[in-house]
Amino acid sequence: MSHLSRSLLLALTTTALTVSAPALAKDHQTAKPAPVSELVAAVDIPYEEFTLDNGLKVLVHTDRKAPVVAVSIWYGVGSANEPEGKTGYAHLFEHIMFNGSEHAPGDFFEPLRQIGATDLNGTTWLDRTNYFQTVPTSALDVALFLESDRMGYLLGAVTQEKLDNQIGVVSNEKRQGDNQPYGLVGYRQTELLFPPDHPYGHDTIGSLEDLEAASLDDMKQWFTDHYGPNNSILVLAGDIDLATAREKVTKWFGAIPPGKPIEKLDPPLPTLDAPIYEVMKDKVATTRIYRNWVVPGLNDPDYTALDVGMTVLGGLASSRLDNIMVRDEKNAVAVSAFVIPFVHGSLVNIQADVKPGEDADAVAKRLDEIIADFIANGPTEDEVQRVATRDAAARIAGLEQVGGFSGKAVALAQGKLYSDDPEFYKKELNRLASTTPEEVKAAMQKWLTRPVLGIRVVPGEREEYQEVGAGKGARTGVLTAPAFYMQDEQPGIVTAPDRSKLPPVGDIPNVDFPDVETATLSNGIKVYFARRDAVPMTRVTLSFNAGTSADSPDKLGLQNFVTSILEEGTTSLTSVEIAEQQERLGANITIGGGRDRTDVDLSAVNPNLDAALDLMADIVKNPAFNPDDIERIRVQQLTAIDREESDPLSIASNTLPPLVFGSEHPYGRGLSGNGTKETVSAITRDDLAAFHDRWMHPAKATIFAAGKIDKQDLVDKLEVRFGRWKGEGEPAPAKNFDAPIPEGKGRIVVIHRPNSPQSMILAGQVLPYKGSDDLLTLDAANEVLGGNFLSRINMDLRETKGWSYGTRNTLLRGEDRVLYTMRAPVQTNQTGPAVAAMDAQVRDFLGDKGVTPAELERTVNGNVRQLPGQFERTPRILGQMQGDVMFDRPSNYAETVAARYRGMTTKDLNEAMANAIDPDKFTWVIVGDVDKIKPQLDALDMPIEYRGYEASDTAVNSDSSSDDSADSGD
């Protein structure tokens, strides 16, 4: 939903541990992975197609595994279609089209929440705008009513107030992106790579000056010209068939007249006249070096070869750049290379984050040498095959989801819109599987020997941020249409349906959560298993009762250090061999953890499951902890800490927990878990080995698994790898949560971040509950106050006031006490008023403005009706299983909550919130430019502590800072 940069949018002994390597270790080098052709053949999305008389193209895919249907509509309009002076219109209309239509006034999310929609959102990019939601089958008519109403009957509901308000929301979306480290690079890439008159010559978020200058008539004409059914593709995927789809789509969309034909774009591919090198300053942890080219679009045969080449160069865990610059020469802490595909030209992005202390000029020179050598000599056959295997496995995993950002509906829609072929994904996979090293080399030599754009971002202060105006409008509640919009030419043969009210929602079955079976390995490890037949894959999580709460106060960051280094080598395999083996197998092993658990996750296609489990077991049981790897990971973790110190949300998230839990409590440390520079610098190899031996011990392990495999077959495989594992020494004792938690008190802690275009607000307090307590009613109450898009705080700060791109209140559960937080990134000149508004919302909720019957109905209906769609994907199943075990709930807990929601009352929700939070006990952490926000905060009459700020009263109260005070936003 944003500009390009957001898509660019990752003396010790050498003696090994004494854990013996398994007899299976040799299999890592001899296991024969399934051929790529076998994996590619498994990727299939059958579909049927029809077109209405008005030109609407409809694709239908039947998948009966759950009683849900994905509704995905793609408009062939994006920022590429915007002429000079009208930039940002497509993105702004994406927002406006969520704000109500003539027969469905109010926010689009309101009725979608009522019907239990999941995976819902909308996005705009260069070539398209899309909207998607997955709904219960019996609520499909509601979703089609809403989508057709905003396609055919929107303009009567578009008012000047709504337009002004959404301009304010977009300006805060821009601020939020700009406020991130490296957040201004994308603008410069666009400006330098594309000429101004190229369709891609401006960012998707557009010029806020253009938006402010837009009249209501301008915006209405933009919609009329671009959002007709003949410029749209509708995909229905899930519990539906062709006949039903034809009947329902004809009913709701058939009477909408076609719009104007859309002008086809065919711009030339831009090439720089000469290399361009530029340096930017930003508040960043380390210098980042970029290399960029514009290359052919996604339909060009060379695109696939370039994609393979960039993946080999910097997209695989075993990539050339990783192996040379990060592992061997250790002059970079992170590297990547990828191609972002668009229709009229794609973007090659290569980047390297310079290791602190290294000479950036020398690193840039080395990066260019590696790129040049790779272009000259190309990849190996093995590298190309590893790319194909990895991508095919990822596609297989994606078949489990019908909608969302990456499900089957997306694959069909993208192919139809961009390539006029819904099965383009197959063509691309087959092209990928047959790509040769020679083709990759030829494509790179053709396109990447042209002049390059080189941008270097170095640590330093940005130039003063050019503030953008706030939205002027205030939402007036339910908006009605002053006029009925319809094109002059009527199709005439389709009767318009009744749009006086939303269609009824039929019966929605309760969620059928898969049966969870259990087993116990010989050494006592408990196994929880759920059968899932949607795709030929198996997922296994080996979960240890550890997490960052297992770190001692003098060794903060130890768990993250251990999880980062486990894939860096075993007693029999190097880090490169581990990465290459995963790629050959189409397997993915990730190691990480939260506050309470340390997890090793495996996903594997079933033909390669045995070899993948061998690899997983070796990584878990036989880490090498080589000195070189330890020092490399240490630098990466220290750099991550530096990076967090320049990111507003990270600063706030790491500051709040010690303030509310106290520094001695296991939860009283930064949420990232990376620790401090002092603790990470002092961690030794013995510390790493001790954490592994004591906390990643079989006595602390539980296995969760799900997939298309018989339970006993899987248990037999797990027994061979983990059932005989005894561990080294004694396991660690239970974690100690007895440290006293300080009494909450209302106060503000401000961290100074000069030239911040936004302020990050994070407030929190520790609740009198543990994670295992029954918090369902409190969760429901929080949804009303601040827990989702339609919550009171979000609607107030985003939709009514236009001060924020989005807010969220969260219950952070764990083994011990629950942390309640309120998060709101807001525009700088409204920081103080935003704190006051959030505080007022909480007090009103706890006072005489508790939950209304309408809010209760929406909350109950949404939670009950979304249950069938919540567990479509195996990772969600595994997550529920893990939560049920941690919080001591029955394995069928998901099936019991619908009845409990239906029994809730407004009194229940009000009491739950009143018993949980105290508005006088919130600690508020604010990250922003103190010069600009101090007068606003001082007016709140709360105790305030300023950190990292030294300025005279004269500077604080100078004209230059007071211009951005709250009063000036009116």
Side-chain angles (χ1 to χ4, degrees), residues 26 38 71 245 279 300 303 376 406 531 595 627 845 895 929:
K26 292 181 180 178
E38 181 180 335
V71 180
V279 176
D300 191 291
Y303 167 76
S406 58
R531 174 91 186 197
R595 293 190 306 168
F845 190 100
E895 297 178 346
D929 189 332

Side-chain angles (χ1 to χ4, degrees), residues 65-100:
K65 74 174 180 296
V68 296
V69 180
V71 180
S72 187
I73 190 160
W74 291 56
Y75 292 92
V77 57
S79 57
N81 301 93
E82 298 164 347
E84 183 180 0
K86 296 185 178 180
T87 65
Y89 277 31
H91 176 246
L92 181 61
F93 250 98
E94 175 216 309
H95 283 248
I96 290 174
M97 289 175 73
F98 274 116
N99 272 210

Side-chain angles (χ1 to χ4, degrees), residues 605-781:
V605 290
N606 281 353
N608 296 335
L609 179 59
D610 282 307
L613 284 170
D614 290 346
L615 185 59
M616 178 188 190
D618 195 22
I619 290 171
V620 171
K621 293 155 65 175
N622 303 295
F625 295 131
N626 290 320
D628 282 351
D629 295 328
I630 290 172
E631 294 313 309
R632 176 164 50 84
I633 297 301
R634 190 194 311 278
V635 170
Q636 291 178 1
Q637 191 156 329
L638 291 171
T639 305
I641 294 170
D642 280 334
R643 192 176 297 121
E644 289 169 3
E645 292 175 353
S646 64
D647 175 69
L649 180 57
S650 296
I651 294 169
S653 298
N654 288 333
T655 302
L656 180 64
L659 294 174
V660 295
F661 279 105
S663 59
E664 296 303 311
H665 192 279
Y667 289 172
R669 60 277 310 257
L671 290 181
S672 75
N674 277 330
T676 69
K677 293 179 181 177
E678 293 74 22
T679 58
V680 172
S681 297
I683 287 172
T684 67
R685 182 182 186 279
D686 288 343
D687 294 330
L688 298 168
F691 185 99
H692 173 268
D693 290 348
R694 299 176 73 236
W695 290 102
M696 301 186 72
H697 190 283
K700 289 189 167 290
T702 306
I703 293 177
F704 300 89
K708 190 173 184 179
I709 188 172
D710 290 334
K711 184 196 83 168
Q712 195 55 51
D713 286 349
L714 179 61
V715 170
D716 290 345
K717 295 176 188 296
L718 295 173
E719 174 67 27
V720 171
R721 279 86 181 177
F722 298 107
R724 303 161 195 165
W725 179 30
K726 301 303 182 185
E728 287 295 309
E730 294 297 316
K735 286 169 278 189
N736 182 3
F737 290 105
D738 293 337
I741 296 174
E743 183 71 19
K745 56 183 179 181
R747 56 175 168 163
I748 299 174
V749 176
V750 186
I751 290 91
H752 182 42
R753 188 173 187 269
N755 292 322
S756 288
Q758 277 190 326
S759 297
M760 175 60 68
I761 300 171
L762 183 67
Q765 65 177 271
V766 179
L767 303 189
Y769 303 119
K770 292 186 176 182
S772 56
D773 290 329
D774 183 1
L775 302 178
L776 191 69
T777 307
L778 180 58
D779 268 324

Side-chain angles (χ1 to χ4, degrees), residues 510-681:
N510 192 22
V511 62
D512 182 16
F513 195 80
D515 294 336
V516 178
E517 302 177 80
T518 62
T520 303
L521 303 185
S522 297
N523 59 357
I525 295 179
K526 190 77 173 284
V527 178
Y528 295 84
F529 171 76
R531 174 91 186 197
R532 296 283 288 169
D533 288 338
V535 293
M537 297 189 74
T538 299
R539 295 179 184 267
V540 178
T541 294
L542 180 58
S543 182
F544 298 93
N545 188 344
T548 58
S549 57
D551 290 347
S552 60
D554 63 335
K555 290 182 173 31
L556 298 181
L558 180 56
Q559 188 244 203
N560 283 14
F561 205 145
V562 172
T563 57
S564 295
I565 204 168
L566 284 183
E567 281 190 88
E568 296 303 318
T570 71
T571 54
S572 59
L573 295 174
T574 67
S575 60
V576 175
E577 290 170 332
I578 290 172
E580 290 178 349
Q581 183 70 345
Q582 288 186 69
E583 292 153 7
R584 291 188 188 102
L585 296 172
N588 187 28
I589 297 172
T590 57
I591 307 169
R595 293 190 306 168
D596 299 294
R597 295 292 184 268
T598 301
D599 294 335
V600 183
D601 298 306
L602 165 70
S603 65
V605 290
N606 281 353
N608 296 335
L609 179 59
D610 282 307
L613 284 170
D614 290 346
L615 185 59
M616 178 188 190
D618 195 22
I619 290 171
V620 171
K621 293 155 65 175
N622 303 295
F625 295 131
N626 290 320
D628 282 351
D629 295 328
I630 290 172
E631 294 313 309
R632 176 164 50 84
I633 297 301
R634 190 194 311 278
V635 170
Q636 291 178 1
Q637 191 156 329
L638 291 171
T639 305
I641 294 170
D642 280 334
R643 192 176 297 121
E644 289 169 3
E645 292 175 353
S646 64
D647 175 69
L649 180 57
S650 296
I651 294 169
S653 298
N654 288 333
T655 302
L656 180 64
L659 294 174
V660 295
F661 279 105
S663 59
E664 296 303 311
H665 192 279
Y667 289 172
R669 60 277 310 257
L671 290 181
S672 75
N674 277 330
T676 69
K677 293 179 181 177
E678 293 74 22
T679 58
V680 172
S681 297

Side-chain angles (χ1 to χ4, degrees), residues 153-484:
Y153 310 91
L154 179 79
L155 291 188
V158 178
T159 65
Q160 188 66 50
E161 292 80 9
K162 186 183 295 186
L163 179 62
D164 289 340
N165 173 261
Q166 289 307 308
I167 291 172
V169 173
V170 168
S171 71
N172 279 296
E173 181 179 355
K174 173 179 164 59
R175 290 186 186 97
Q176 190 163 316
D178 294 353
N179 204 25
Q180 300 303 306
Y182 311 102
L184 303 180
V185 174
Y187 300 125
R188 200 69 182 129
Q189 289 172 318
T190 299
E191 184 179 350
L192 295 174
L193 286 168
F194 296 97
D197 59 350
H198 191 281
Y200 295 170
H202 61 274
D203 295 283
T204 297
I205 204 157
S207 160
L208 295 175
E209 289 75 17
D210 284 356
L211 296 182
E212 290 282 6
S215 69
L216 191 59
D217 287 342
D218 286 338
M219 300 306 297
K220 289 185 175 184
Q221 190 61 51
W222 170 263
F223 178 83
T224 301
D225 290 347
H226 294 94
Y227 294 83
N230 50 310
N231 192 38
S232 311
I233 296 164
L234 172 64
V235 181
L236 301 177
D239 186 21
I240 192 168
D241 54 50
L242 179 65
T244 305
R246 190 187 298 275
E247 181 269 324
K248 291 183 180 296
V249 173
T250 301
K251 174 183 177 180
W252 294 113
F253 289 86
I256 302 172
K260 296 180 180 179
I262 303 298
E263 178 185 358
K264 295 296 183 182
L265 301 175
D266 188 23
L269 193 73
T271 295
L272 298 179
D273 294 331
I276 298 175
Y277 295 96
E278 185 162 300
V279 176
M280 301 174 64
K281 291 183 178 180
D282 200 351
K283 194 172 181 62
V284 295
T286 184
T287 296
R288 178 171 292 173
I289 300 164
Y290 294 86
R291 296 292 182 259
N292 297 113
W293 290 267
V294 178
V295 297
L298 56 88
N299 290 303
D300 191 291
D302 279 347
Y303 167 76
T304 303
L306 290 166
D307 184 39
V308 171
M310 291 305 97
T311 305
V312 171
L313 179 64
L316 298 172
S318 65
S319 74
R320 296 286 184 93
L321 292 178
D322 272 291
N323 288 347
I324 297 171
M325 299 185 72
V326 178
R327 291 190 176 99
D328 293 343
E329 298 176 4
K330 301 180 181 64
N331 50 23
V333 292
V335 291
S336 65
F338 49 86
V339 188
I340 302 177
F342 300 111
V343 174
H344 305 294
S346 302
L347 175 70
V348 166
N349 189 88
I350 302 170
Q351 65 188 53
D353 288 357
V354 178
K355 178 182 174 182
E358 292 285 323
D359 181 344
D361 289 334
V363 175
K365 181 174 182 290
R366 184 64 178 127
L367 174 64
D368 291 335
E369 289 171 353
I370 296 168
I371 294 171
D373 177 76
F374 185 59
I375 292 171
N377 297 296
T380 67
E381 178 67 31
D382 183 57
E383 287 173 322
V384 172
Q385 286 301 297
R386 296 204 313 267
V387 172
T389 302
R390 188 199 67 162
D391 285 11
R395 278 289 189 182
I396 292 172
L399 295 177
E400 205 172 22
Q401 186 177 19
V402 292
F405 280 105
S406 58
K408 292 186 280 189
V410 174
L412 294 173
Q414 284 186 158
K416 183 67 175 176
L417 180 64
Y418 297 155
S419 311
D420 196 27
D421 180 4
E423 291 192 323
F424 185 76
Y425 69 92
K426 278 190 176 182
K427 184 181 298 182
E428 180 66 10
L429 270 179
N430 286 319
R431 190 186 292 167
L432 183 68
S434 62
T435 296
T436 66
E438 290 73 22
E439 291 170 332
V440 174
K441 182 170 68 172
M444 292 193 300
Q445 291 178 353
K446 179 178 180 181
W447 297 106
L448 303 188
T449 54
R450 296 147 65 230
V452 66
L453 169 63
I455 293 178
R456 186 183 305 184
V457 182
V458 301
E461 290 298 329
R462 287 180 176 180
E463 295 181 6
E464 186 172 357
Y465 187 77
Q466 297 300 308
E467 183 58 272
V468 293
K472 298 184 290 293
R475 207 172 65 160
T476 56
V478 177
L479 299 169
T480 57
F484 188 82

Side-chain angles (χ1 to χ4, degrees), residues 824-897:
V826 300
Q827 63 193 61
T828 297
N829 63 358
Q830 301 295 345
T831 305
V835 172
M838 295 167 72
D839 179 71
Q841 288 286 354
V842 173
R843 294 180 187 277
D844 286 349
F845 190 100
L846 298 174
D848 59 359
K849 296 181 181 178
V851 178
T852 67
E855 289 171 328
L856 176 67
E857 179 186 42
R858 182 184 71 215
T859 302
V860 170
N861 284 345
N863 281 292
V864 169
R865 292 169 174 173
Q866 76 179 6
L867 283 167
Q870 275 190 317
F871 301 108
E872 187 186 9
R873 299 178 61 241
T874 299
R876 292 296 302 271
I877 297 286
L878 287 172
Q880 182 69 35
M881 291 164 61
Q882 289 175 265
D884 289 342
V885 171
M886 178 185 290
F887 300 132
D888 197 25
R889 301 185 300 221
S891 62
N892 68 337
Y893 176 79
E895 297 178 346
T896 70
V897 298

